[in-house]
Amino acid sequence: MLRKRLIPCLDVRDGQVVKGVRFADHVVMGDIVELAQRYRDAGADELVFYDIKASTVGDTVARSWVERIAALIDIPFCVAGGIHDVASARAVLGSGADKISVNSRALARPELIDELAASVGSQSVVVGVDSRHVGPNPEDWFVFQFTGSTSTMRNSGRRTLDWVREAQSRGAGEIVLNCMDHDGVRTGYDIPQLKAVRAAVQIPLIASGGAGTAQHFAAAFMQADVDGALAAGAFHSGELTVGAVKKYLNDCGIEVRS
């Protein structure tokens, strides 16, 4: 059995790490390199950097900070936001990232997933899914686009379960499911939605949105069988540490990397 992964997420804007609640009211949390090194030293299995400015205004990711991170840490990291095409993906990977993640651009043109998988390999292609419940039925989950800002955010009209199946069929190597209604509130992951997506795809699934206690991580692993759990605010604030969460998971019988 593969060990479960703990993945701090760092939202990046103009070279600084920021954090919001339900994708709004972002505040600066610290320097990108300092936080990356802190999480590497704390035992994080991977890191995700989401360039929220590049995502919302159509910029490409600044390769300078990707190169700085690659030179300083020795754990895998993924870059999301501002990946428009094969060329921008290859540029980010060439700067030292291990994976790239696409979201809104793939929704606008799903063939992008096929092209990326063919060019850089499925193992390097993550599809981020920002999902929210909209409707009267329990499984009325829809995927949202351009979520880096409330002014650009919109419902794509695609049902979440349909989209994750399509992403997998097109060559995605991993899904990061960010449950928007739980984002930043630290009340726990959206277990019903994670379980539904887990049943829909066979590729690795990463839970995102809602972590506030070590018990929340354990619930995602034990109840939804996700492969990894991503968190931001709870780690950035110091309320949780990677080491403390890993100890708790070990005590629960959940295999994690030491």
Side-chain angles (χ1 to χ4, degrees):
M1 178 184 294
L2 293 176
R3 292 172 178 166
K4 304 299 187 181
R5 290 176 275 155
L6 289 187
I7 309 171
C9 177
L10 296 88
D11 290 344
V12 179
R13 185 174 61 196
D14 297 325
Q16 294 286 316
V17 176
V18 299
K19 187 68 184 84
V21 175
R22 294 193 179 101
F23 290 70
D25 302 323
H26 291 93
V27 296
V28 174
M29 302 299 295
D31 177 72
I32 185 172
V33 172
E34 179 184 336
L35 283 172
Q37 289 178 306
R38 185 213 300 178
Y39 289 131
R40 184 272 316 274
D41 294 343
D45 298 303
E46 297 179 19
L47 296 175
V48 172
F49 298 92
Y50 176 35
D51 192 323
I52 61 174
K53 182 177 180 182
S55 172
T56 55
V57 303
D59 285 348
T60 54
V61 173
R63 294 178 61 180
S64 57
W65 67 257
V66 178
E67 291 169 348
R68 288 171 64 206
I69 297 299
L72 290 169
I73 66 172
D74 53 3
I75 59 174
F77 71 96
C78 175
V79 174
I83 308 298
H84 309 311
D85 49 24
V86 168
S88 55
R90 293 180 71 88
V92 169
L93 293 170
S95 297
D98 300 273
K99 302 176 186 178
I100 51 88
S101 180
V102 290
N103 186 328
S104 299
R105 298 286 174 173
L107 285 163
R109 195 173 69 84
E111 295 81 9
L112 176 60
I113 302 172
D114 304 77
E115 295 164 4
L116 292 170
S119 177
V120 303
S122 291
Q123 76 284 349
S124 296
V125 180
V126 178
V127 172
V129 180
D130 293 328
S131 179
R132 171 170 281 169
H133 186 266
V134 182
N137 300 312
E139 293 196 354
D140 282 343
W141 297 301
F142 285 83
V143 185
F144 280 68
Q145 294 174 278
F146 308 113
T147 55
S149 167
T150 54
S151 64
T152 59
M153 187 187 310
R154 67 169 183 258
N155 190 334
S156 71
R158 288 180 175 268
R159 289 186 174 271
T160 300
L161 297 182
D162 293 338
W163 176 236
V164 296
R165 292 188 187 102
E166 181 176 348
Q168 175 180 258
S169 71
R170 289 183 176 277
E174 186 169 276
I175 298 289
V176 174
L177 180 67
N178 192 20
C179 303
M180 296 175 65
D181 294 320
H182 289 235
D183 179 75
V185 298
R186 306 184 197 177
T187 56
Y189 293 102
D190 187 339
I191 301 299
Q193 187 172 183
L194 288 166
K195 289 174 70 174
V197 172
R198 173 73 289 166
V201 298
Q202 291 73 53
I203 57 178
L205 172 64
I206 309 300
S208 176
T213 69
Q215 289 86 346
H216 293 155
F217 289 87
F221 290 130
M222 297 174 73
Q223 297 178 38
D225 193 29
V226 298
D227 300 273
L230 183 151
F235 284 145
H236 297 339
S237 68
E239 292 179 32
L240 288 178
T241 66
V242 174
V245 174
K246 284 193 170 185
K247 182 180 184 305
Y248 180 83
L249 296 175
N250 265 319
D251 291 344
C252 292
I254 299 169
E255 288 195 48
V256 293
R257 296 181 178 93
S258 60

